[in-house]
Amino acid sequence: MVMSKIPNIKPVDLSSTKDIFISAVRFAMSIEGPCFPFGDELRISAQEQVDYMLGEDGNTTIIMADDEVQSVVRMGVYNIIHSFEMDLSSFLLDTTLLESAYNMIMKRVSDLEWLCNVLSKVDLMKNFVSNWAAISSKILGIIEDKKLDHVMWGLKVKLIEVACKVLEAVGYGSVIVPAQCRVQLLKTWFPYVRKMKPLLDSKATEETGFPYKMDEDLCQAIEGAIVSLILTLPSNDQADILADWIKNREVGYPDLSEAFEVWCYRTKSAKRRLVEGLDGHSDGDASITTSLALKS
């Protein structure tokens, strides 16, 4: 009799994996608050643990569908974004503490970047997008205050990088949000990006070794995301944004030529279909048909 050499395979304990993951998420997203004496070391270590579990542990993908796990992640998203918003608001309250506040807010932005990377892996980016859209106007209202005109260049670039991740998620369809939210995101971040690119380029020219810039990859990513996002909007909203872009084409970036060409093509096609529909319904509408045909 041949004895089986296949070892007994124990069922995977998803409950233990879930408990470990939730614990790591709570520390990674600072839900538990500061943990003395470890502080940032524990938070960073927990973020690395979450990254590892999402990348190497197949069971983590299974437990991501669990309601408790998703609830903890949503709580963490709110916690990180709310903490970022509160720390950013403190900039304008006491400018004597600018350096210490800056160091703290850069940690918060690092958390935001990490969060975007994690959420995109588990299809929970929509929660981040919604929260980010809700505070975008406030973020730019603070960072564009006259007191901060010539400081915090590193933070300004980082904010553009985070905004790029949001614009990509919405523009390429991985996150579906209402048209109103898409318009709001564009009308908030498009003018800021358009203003900051030449300003950062100018600073780099004037100051040797100026380290803060929008590199080529970031520029292409934002431009592509904005073009894709514009093309998801209702035609009238597209027209408003493109009309504003045409007025400011001397800026040169972002280049919306592709979006403009597609909008023109779609508009002409729509008019052509309307003309064909009128022709099919009434020969007495020849004057209207001719007029529309000439416009298209």
Side-chain angles (χ1 to χ4, degrees):
M1 180 177 180
V2 179
M3 299 296 293
S4 173
K5 294 184 180 181
I6 300 177
N8 292 328
I9 300 177
K10 297 181 179 180
V12 175
D13 186 357
L14 291 180
S15 178
S16 296
T17 302
K18 172 183 166 181
D19 290 344
I20 293 172
F21 185 73
I22 287 178
S23 179
V25 166
R26 294 183 71 87
F27 282 112
M29 297 183 174
S30 302
I31 296 173
E32 301 291 352
C35 185
F36 301 104
F38 302 104
D40 283 340
E41 292 181 9
L42 180 59
R43 177 180 56 83
I44 294 171
S45 177
Q47 289 180 357
E48 292 174 349
Q49 178 66 27
V50 170
D51 288 338
Y52 173 79
M53 293 185 73
L54 289 174
E56 302 296 332
D57 190 344
N59 296 322
T60 307
T61 304
I62 299 175
I63 65 170
M64 282 309 303
D66 184 88
D67 289 341
E68 183 182 0
V69 173
Q70 293 202 6
S71 177
V72 172
V73 171
R74 285 194 294 269
M75 186 189 307
V77 172
Y78 172 80
N79 188 66
I80 288 179
I81 292 182
H82 180 67
S83 297
F84 165 75
E85 181 184 2
M86 294 298 292
D87 287 342
L88 186 62
S89 299
S90 70
F91 276 164
L92 303 181
L93 299 178
D94 188 351
T95 54
T96 63
L97 300 176
L98 204 57
E99 183 174 351
S100 60
Y102 178 77
N103 292 334
M104 176 57 71
I105 201 65
M106 290 304 286
K107 292 178 183 178
R108 300 295 188 198
V109 175
S110 177
D111 287 345
L112 291 174
E113 290 184 301
W114 171 80
L115 192 57
C116 285
N117 292 332
V118 167
L119 296 176
S120 62
K121 295 176 183 177
V122 294
D123 294 328
L124 290 175
M125 189 65 177
K126 183 175 182 178
N127 194 245
F128 183 93
V129 169
S130 299
N131 281 276
W132 183 259
I135 67 168
S136 286
S137 295
K138 184 174 181 180
I139 290 173
L140 294 187
I142 295 170
I143 207 67
E144 293 190 287
D145 188 276
K146 291 182 179 179
K147 295 178 183 177
L148 307 180
D149 261 354
H150 304 291
V151 294
M152 300 186 185
W153 298 108
L155 172 59
K156 292 171 182 176
V157 173
K158 283 296 182 183
L159 288 176
I160 291 174
E161 291 176 356
V162 175
C164 178
K165 294 180 183 296
V166 172
L167 294 173
E168 285 183 316
V170 178
Y172 296 128
S174 60
V175 171
I176 306 300
V177 295
Q180 184 179 359
C181 182
R182 300 197 300 272
V183 171
Q184 179 191 352
L185 282 169
L186 268 174
K187 290 190 174 180
T188 302
W189 289 102
F190 174 51
Y192 184 69
V193 169
R194 184 172 58 192
K195 181 183 79 172
M196 287 302 300
K197 174 64 166 61
L199 187 56
L200 290 167
D201 289 346
S202 176
K203 292 287 292 183
T205 301
E206 295 170 1
E207 300 179 21
T208 304
F210 183 75
Y212 309 112
K213 64 177 182 178
M214 293 171 57
D215 62 33
E216 185 176 350
D217 289 341
L218 177 60
C219 289
Q220 290 180 352
I222 292 176
E223 187 170 89
I226 287 177
V227 168
S228 294
L229 186 48
I230 288 173
L231 295 177
T232 70
L233 300 179
S235 182
N236 288 342
D237 291 315
Q238 291 184 41
D240 289 343
I241 292 170
L242 291 170
D244 180 63
W245 167 70
I246 289 172
K247 293 177 185 176
N248 295 276
R249 287 188 68 177
E250 67 275 5
V251 175
Y253 180 86
D255 182 2
L256 303 186
S257 299
E258 181 182 349
F260 181 67
E261 290 172 4
V262 173
W263 177 81
C264 288
Y265 174 78
R266 288 177 176 175
T267 302
K268 289 180 179 179
S269 296
K271 287 181 178 179
R272 190 174 298 112
R273 288 195 297 272
L274 178 59
V275 169
E276 292 170 354
L278 289 173
D279 282 341
H281 279 85
S282 173
D283 293 334
D285 289 332
S287 60
I288 298 176
T289 301
T290 303
S291 174
L292 287 170
L294 288 172
K295 290 180 181 178
S296 62

